[in-house]
Amino acid sequence: MIPLAIPNLAGNEGRYLEECVASNFVSSVGPFVRRFEQMVAASTGAVDAVAVSTGTVGLHLALVTAGVERDDLVVLPALTFIASANAIAHCGATPWLFDVSEESWTLDPRSLDHALAAETERRGDRVIHRATGRRVAAIMPVHTLGHPADMDAIAAVAERHGLPIVADGAAALGATYKGRPAARLGAALTVISFNGNKTVTAGGGGALVGSDRALLDTARHLSTTARVGEEYEHDRVGYNYRMTNLQAAVGCAQMELLDRFVAAKRRIARRYDEAFADVKGAGRFPAAPWAESACWFSGLMVDTADSGELRAQLRGNGIDARPFWKPMHLQAPYRDAPRTPLPVTDSVWRRIVTLPCSTQLTDAEQEHVIARTRAALAGGS
Ligand SMILES: *Cc1c(COP(=O)(O)O)cnc(C)c1O
């Protein structure tokens, strides 16, 4: 089977892990953690980065740091990976689900603006969702597949309503928006994931990035049990969310390869786009004019109601073709979450097919994937 997206451990991973063992620094104290944070900060244009054990806990930590509390609502696109919604639920809050735009598969700023104006009211400095009586505490855009959301438009709406932005930039490492890297897009905090299937992995891990040092310091404090001083004194309910030196060792080796990996991802995406451009019934993944996507995943969109048949045929030919995220309003834990109309989400999610896009995918393998996909779409098998 040609895999969908697997780690590419082509660099110094083994050497750095041996250094950890030799130095006895395997836990969250150790030089690789800080080095990793500095590399992530530099590549995202952040003043600093806070490394944590997974992207999901990073999202939770970012929401807590931004002031999200029990019973709040957090604006979230319905088309996302369930970890974004879970992080909101881990705060005791509920996602308020919004549609994505056709051109980007990211949070649609027009429907955001419209719903905030029509369905909320200001009480003091609080934004209250009228139908549920709950406070709207934050907006969480998702940079879907490494394609940035339209952040200038979203930030303008957020500012008008006095709401902070916490961005799920799980796959946004290497992406730019109007030439700016991920941490400079108007979010208070942006969270990157280093899970095994991401472009750059730490074997698992996450990082918070941003341009507000005080906010990042608060996040770091909360991630390490909110300890003050050298004795067992803690000033808030904190978390044990720190990344380990072992993870960071792998992460540092991978970050050294970031430019190469992102270039490979973009080349793979471009090849699929070109190869299917003349195929009736095949659409491409979004590429909005404001974005230079990091192209974490690539593939195509079919024009039938469901991509299942194409996926089954490809899998029968040894090609790991997969469906895309099932939206949040169709997931058991979030079925009752408040939502605005979701026509684009409903129309696109079943039609998306992700295709093999590991950074070490060879030209011959991709040619095989393209040939089988073209044959399947033409009605062969
Ligand atoms: C990968 C991913 C996450 C979760 O990150 P983990 O590191 O696996 O916890 C969250 N949101 C999105 C959009 C992702 O793609």
Side-chain angles (χ1 to χ4, degrees), residues 36-342:
F36 179 68
E37 289 178 334
Q38 284 161 351
M39 292 177 93
V40 172
S43 74
T44 56
V47 296
D48 203 355
V50 178
V52 292
S53 52
T54 69
T56 306
V57 303
L59 287 167
H60 178 223
L61 181 65
L63 290 166
V64 170
T65 305
V68 174
E69 296 177 349
R70 183 162 297 281
D71 297 330
D72 284 341
L73 294 180
V74 175
V75 167
L76 181 72
L79 187 66
T80 186
F81 180 55
I82 199 159
S84 340
N86 289 346
I88 294 167
H90 295 161
C91 298
T94 301
W96 180 14
L97 301 175
F98 278 72
D99 208 4
V100 294
S101 77
E102 193 108 45
E103 65 178 338
S104 70
W105 298 350
T106 63
L107 180 65
D108 183 355
R110 286 159 302 247
S111 69
L112 176 67
D113 195 23
H114 180 261
L116 283 173
E119 297 183 37
T120 69
E121 62 190 46
R122 206 59 183 256
R123 291 190 204 144
D125 60 355
R126 297 163 74 87
V127 178
I128 303 297
H129 179 244
R130 252 188 248 107
T132 59
R134 292 179 178 221
R135 176 176 82 133
V136 182
I139 298 171
M140 187 190 277
V142 179
H143 301 319
T144 312
L145 298 164
H147 184 297
D150 188 2
M151 290 298 286
D152 283 351
I154 291 168
V157 177
E159 183 161 334
R160 220 162 28 250
H161 293 270
L163 293 170
I165 299 173
V166 171
D168 182 341
L173 206 58
T176 57
Y177 171 87
K178 300 179 183 174
R180 281 133 58 198
R184 295 230 190 111
L185 308 185
L189 293 165
T190 297
V191 180
I192 315 274
S193 164
F194 298 92
N195 192 38
N197 64 353
K198 297 299 197 280
T199 301
V200 163
T201 185
L208 283 65
V209 293
S211 39
D212 181 338
R213 191 172 287 283
L215 214 52
L216 290 161
D217 286 346
T218 301
R220 178 173 283 108
H221 179 60
L222 289 172
S223 75
T224 49
T225 69
R227 182 158 114 166
V228 283
E230 290 303 306
E231 290 170 18
Y232 285 97
E233 191 169 327
H234 309 262
D235 63 357
R236 285 183 64 175
V237 177
Y239 306 92
N240 177 10
Y241 278 176
R242 289 292 276 165
M243 179 178 273
T244 67
N245 204 46
L246 288 171
Q247 287 174 291
V250 175
C252 284
Q254 291 268 291
M255 285 300 292
E256 292 168 357
L257 304 171
L258 172 66
D259 292 347
R260 219 177 94 192
F261 283 173
V262 172
K265 289 283 191 184
R266 287 183 175 147
R267 195 171 56 241
I268 291 165
R270 196 168 53 241
R271 280 220 191 99
Y272 282 136
D273 286 348
E274 286 166 7
F276 304 133
D278 66 333
V279 176
K280 214 173 139 276
R284 56 204 293 171
F285 279 21
W290 66 74
E292 210 192 348
S293 176
C295 299
W296 170 41
F297 274 5
S298 44
L300 61 101
M301 188 158 84
V302 297
D303 68 356
T304 49
D306 194 320
S307 65
E309 198 177 317
L310 173 62
R311 282 186 278 113
Q313 278 191 39
L314 291 175
R315 295 182 69 84
N317 281 293
I319 293 163
D320 192 3
R322 303 247 185 124
F324 196 49
W325 302 321
K326 185 175 188 177
M328 294 309 103
H329 62 299
L330 304 177
Q331 301 281 2
Y334 303 110
R335 216 163 263 155
D336 298 327
R339 61 191 202 234
T340 60
L342 305 171

